[in-house]
Amino acid sequence: MIEIAIDGTAASGKGTLAKNLAKKYGFAHLDTGLLYRKVADELIIKKKDTSSNLVYYSTKIARDLNFLELKKEDLRSEKTAKLASFIATYPKLREILNLKQKEFVIKNKTKFPGCILDGRDIGTKILPNADFKFFIDASIDIRAKRRLLEKNISFLQENDEKCMLQSLIREMKERDKLDSSRITSPLAPAVDAYVIDTSFIDADELLLKVTKIIEGI
Ligand code: CDP
């Protein structure tokens, strides 16, 4: 089974790349950020997000998590992402979610010719022996614009758009900082990863670039 690890910053295009590759090659795909987002979302729903015992509640939720039911649309908010990034610093929580990610790979070994995981520590921790590793990044301004577009807001006054962009830039910068500075599995390219900046290329161009690497053309 071919393993592909995709890591990168928020809204860099890593999720779309993972989806496009999975479709092109018929591989299994797991967006590992959804696991962290789901735990964060449950904490908010159960009103435990301000608890002083977040480690206890988040690990309890993580143990019972059925990740086959996860859908990004329900977990998209920056509030959820911010809490996800906060609890993602807990080594105990990462241990539980790491096992779930590895189970996903094992389960799909016989069903699919390949497997793609995208997240923050896939190339460094979850799939250290992956056949291909990619690290995707882009400038913060471009990433914030992409995130705003994803929100699918049909009409915004120019000033409101500027305000939303500024707050997205602030939130994403904070999250990148927390993700890159945590002690356990920080966001960083694996030494053997292809690092790609998507600031000036779109999803199709990125897919083409990556498929050329995979197919050796
Ligand atoms: O879509 P976006 O890149 O904004 O975020 P995500 O992939 O859904 O991940 C949300 C948060 O989960 C990240 O900011 C990380 O703190 C955490 N995460 C992680 O620590 N390790 C992973 N493998 C995936 C996500």
Side-chain angles (χ1 to χ4, degrees):
M1 180 198 230
I2 296 171
E3 289 179 357
I4 300 180
I6 304 179
D7 291 299
T9 48
S12 57
K14 63 183 185 317
T16 307
L17 171 66
K19 261 188 235 147
N20 286 342
L21 282 175
K23 195 169 165 205
K24 182 174 171 77
Y25 295 119
F27 287 2
H29 166 225
L30 178 66
D31 171 352
T32 65
L34 286 184
L35 306 183
Y36 292 89
R37 281 178 185 258
K38 180 66 183 172
V39 175
D41 191 56
E42 288 279 314
L43 284 169
I44 295 168
I45 290 169
K46 295 187 166 126
K47 300 200 189 317
K48 300 293 184 202
D49 51 318
T50 51
S51 156
S52 57
N53 211 347
L54 263 187
V55 178
Y56 169 78
Y57 288 113
S58 54
T59 49
K60 191 170 182 297
I61 292 167
R63 279 197 193 92
D64 300 333
L65 200 67
N66 179 358
F67 56 80
L68 296 177
E69 289 170 6
L70 305 182
K71 283 201 199 93
K72 188 129 196 164
E73 304 82 67
D74 308 331
L75 307 167
R76 209 171 245 168
S77 81
E78 269 308 305
K79 183 183 177 189
T80 305
K82 191 175 173 186
L83 183 60
S85 181
F86 185 73
I87 58 175
T89 58
Y90 300 151
K92 190 81 209 146
L93 175 69
R94 299 199 73 86
E95 227 174 81
I96 297 167
L97 296 184
N98 287 359
L99 275 179
K100 298 218 177 240
Q101 292 166 56
K102 286 178 184 160
E103 268 169 34
F104 175 86
V105 177
I106 293 167
K107 254 193 205 158
N108 285 302
K109 253 197 171 125
T110 51
K111 296 188 198 145
F112 294 88
C115 194
I116 303 170
L117 266 58
D118 73 276
R120 298 293 189 287
D121 60 346
I122 309 303
T124 50
K125 178 84 185 171
I126 308 295
L127 299 175
N129 300 316
D131 300 270
F132 297 97
K133 296 181 185 177
F134 299 97
F135 188 90
I136 313 297
D137 199 3
S139 76
I140 184 73
D141 291 347
I142 299 229
R143 291 191 285 124
K145 277 189 190 141
R146 285 182 189 154
R147 191 84 343 149
L148 188 63
L149 279 177
E150 277 172 20
K151 292 189 183 293
N152 221 353
I153 303 168
S154 51
F155 181 74
L156 269 181
Q157 298 278 357
E158 202 183 321
N159 271 349
D160 293 342
E161 186 175 320
K162 265 193 195 149
C163 259
M164 278 191 87
L165 261 181
Q166 285 315 314
S167 89
L168 271 173
I169 288 175
R170 214 175 29 248
E171 285 163 351
M172 287 167 68
K173 268 188 181 166
E174 270 172 29
R175 195 143 64 85
D176 286 347
K177 193 171 160 204
L178 189 58
D179 288 347
S180 321
S181 62
R182 69 176 172 232
I183 294 165
T184 315
S185 302
L187 165 69
V191 283
D192 49 350
Y194 293 92
V195 179
I196 303 176
D197 188 312
T198 64
S199 300
F200 303 108
I201 58 172
D202 67 16
D204 290 340
E205 287 167 304
L206 176 62
L207 179 66
L208 189 66
K209 205 175 172 78
V210 167
T211 49
K212 277 186 178 168
I213 294 173
I214 293 172
E215 293 170 19
I217 21 179

